[in-house]
Amino acid sequence: MNWLNQIKWDEHGLVPAIAQEASTGDVLMFAWMNREALQKTAELKRAVYFSRSRKKLWFKGEESGHVQTVHDIRIDCDSDVVLLKVTQLGHEPGIACHTGRHSCFFQSLQGEDWVPADPVLKDPETIYK
């Protein structure tokens, strides 16, 4: 797996990963990947991340059903950030955020306050039972 050796893993064996919607270019979320997560993502063509809080692999959508099908895996010029081009499944429009929104990047700076700029598409209470 020479391609995995070309990644610049941090001191914890992790690399930042950005999920971008392939069809729209929307940045959906940011997460972390370890070597196994990136390898499984490439094999399965499904986003697999590493949960730092749970200290385990996290198959995106394993609880919510909001799976990310991976079309392309890229790294940046320094080989220390991964970009996944994905299709967000499980709801129309796709929900990537645990808050029930399309994107995790839904807060906009308005003056000195962070204000939700995107609507909740589905109540998180109905997603995570």
Side-chain angles (χ1 to χ4, degrees), residues 28-91:
L28 299 176
M29 57 177 278
F30 166 85
W32 295 92
M33 296 178 121
N34 65 5
R35 188 179 186 91
E36 184 181 7
L38 185 53
Q39 182 176 348
K40 286 197 175 296
T41 296
E43 289 172 7
L44 301 174
K45 303 293 186 217
R46 173 185 174 181
V48 180
Y49 301 105
F50 181 79
S51 170
R52 294 180 304 163
S53 59
R54 293 179 276 178
K55 307 266 191 277
K56 68 174 197 156
L57 290 184
W58 160 39
F59 288 74
K60 177 68 173 149
E62 64 190 357
E63 292 179 27
S64 66
H66 300 145
V67 173
Q68 292 173 343
T69 301
V70 177
H71 303 286
D72 193 12
I73 301 173
R74 298 182 181 204
I75 56 174
D76 74 329
C77 56
D78 296 321
S79 302
D80 62 0
V81 177
V82 171
L83 174 67
L84 303 178
K85 296 200 176 209
V86 305
T87 297
Q88 183 68 55
L89 304 173
H91 187 272

Side-chain angles (χ1 to χ4, degrees), residues 18-21 24-30 83 102-105:
I18 299 166
Q20 180 183 37
E21 194 166 48
T24 65
D26 291 348
V27 175
L28 299 176
M29 57 177 278
F30 166 85
L83 174 67
H102 177 62
S103 169
C104 293
F105 297 94

